Amino acid sequence: MSYLPVAVAQVILTSVFWQWKTRLPAFSWDQTLSDLDRTLHFGWHPWQWLQPILGYWPVTFLLSLNYSIWFMVMWTFWMAFAFSERPQRIQFLVTFSLLWIILGSVLATAFSSAGPCFFGNLGLGNNPYADLMSYLKAAHQNAPILALNVQSLLWRGYAGSGAEIGISAMPSLHNATALLMVLASRSFHPAIRGVLKVHFVLIFLGSIHLGWHYAIDAYVSYAATLMIWFGIASRFRSPTPMPHVALGAPEPLTRLAEPPH
């Protein structure tokens, strides 16, 4: 497979995705997703379960830092596959593209939602994430919580007072691609695989703790990623090589028994 067409196709796909994201319908699923999160987690919102463990500003800062480098990690990993002949190369590239199409466009349109950090801006009544956002703002006084700056930028764009980039919570491409990198990293050094696994876990925790996503956003993205990755595995599996047969005179079918000594 030629490298240049793959790169050009991905640039086009990504550009279409960002344009599509700015044209998603009105947010109509946030209340449902929030209620479902609370039901699935025994009457508590996921961030409330995590807060006693993660609610310290150094931890929050590290989670925000890890979340902010997701884009760089994802595209570095993508290039490691796109411009190489690694095993599972085509399987990875096809899965990666389908995630952006199915999760980032189709499902994002069907389940249009803004996410917990914007819940209070949607006029839905009681905001179960108000205390989380208050904590994040307090943590920001001790160390820069980059997520807050990005969230402010996104909402200003959505409200028409800045460049519109688009907002979409369900499902989570951050979590989907973080899982995909773990699945596709079998040919990498064990140390790199370990780093990717840590990145995957921190992306999940950060997506909830920083107010970006409902936990159900991650669960749906994981299910979809696994279905696509394993669903197309047989299509791109390398064929089993035929056994090597040496050329030359055929072996006789039978041999005369040697005389007894």
Side-chain angles (χ1 to χ4, degrees):
M1 180 184 289
S2 178
Y3 301 149
L4 183 59
V6 171
V8 171
Q10 189 59 53
V11 169
I12 294 173
L13 176 62
T14 306
S15 299
V16 171
F17 163 78
W18 288 116
Q19 289 298 317
W20 183 279
K21 193 175 179 181
T22 62
R23 290 168 173 77
L24 292 176
F27 306 124
S28 58
W29 278 86
D30 284 89
Q31 187 67 66
T32 300
L33 295 174
S34 179
D35 292 344
L36 183 57
D37 248 13
R38 184 176 57 189
T39 300
L40 289 176
H41 297 90
F42 310 101
W44 289 64
H45 291 280
W47 77 266
Q48 294 171 320
W49 285 107
L50 294 174
Q51 190 64 15
I53 304 171
L54 306 180
Y56 303 91
W57 71 260
V59 178
T60 303
F61 170 73
L62 291 175
L63 287 174
S64 180
L65 184 62
N66 178 77
Y67 210 84
S68 68
I69 66 171
W70 163 82
F71 194 83
M72 180 186 68
V73 173
M74 176 185 67
W75 286 115
T76 300
F77 190 86
W78 184 89
M79 288 188 290
F81 264 93
F83 303 109
S84 71
E85 295 299 333
R86 289 182 177 276
Q88 299 179 305
R89 174 178 182 253
I90 300 178
Q91 183 182 358
F92 168 78
L93 293 174
V94 171
T95 302
F96 186 87
S97 297
L98 289 177
L99 289 181
W100 287 73
I101 295 170
I102 297 175
L103 275 67
S105 299
V106 177
L107 293 182
T109 301
F111 300 99
S112 182
S113 52
C117 59
F118 301 122
F119 195 97
N121 298 343
L122 302 179
L124 297 175
N126 180 53
N127 179 11
Y129 308 99
D131 288 344
L132 172 62
M133 300 312 297
S134 295
Y135 160 77
L136 293 175
K137 291 174 182 176
H140 189 61
Q141 302 302 313
N142 295 293
I145 307 303
L146 303 177
L148 292 178
N149 297 330
V150 179
Q151 289 164 5
S152 177
L153 178 68
L154 289 174
W155 190 258
R156 288 201 306 270
Y158 177 78
S161 58
E164 187 175 6
I165 303 174
I167 297 173
S168 176
M170 165 64 104
S172 169
L173 272 178
H174 277 73
N175 282 289
T177 53
L179 174 59
L180 176 60
M181 287 187 286
V182 172
L183 293 172
S185 63
R186 271 183 16 186
S187 63
F188 286 75
H189 190 280
I192 296 178
R193 294 192 67 193
V195 170
L196 289 173
K197 289 176 181 178
V198 171
H199 179 68
F200 161 71
V201 173
L202 295 183
I203 285 292
F204 172 70
L205 295 176
S207 68
I208 296 171
H209 180 64
L210 300 171
W212 283 115
H213 288 284
Y214 309 102
I216 192 67
D217 298 345
Y219 302 157
V220 170
S221 73
Y222 293 156
T225 302
L226 292 171
M227 289 175 63
I228 296 171
W229 175 257
F230 290 108
I232 67 173
S234 59
R235 174 66 179 83
F236 298 106
R237 185 176 293 122
S238 300
T240 303
M242 296 294 292
H244 177 71
V245 179
L247 298 178
E251 291 289 333
L253 297 178
T254 58
R255 295 179 181 270
L256 295 175
E258 294 185 5
H261 296 288

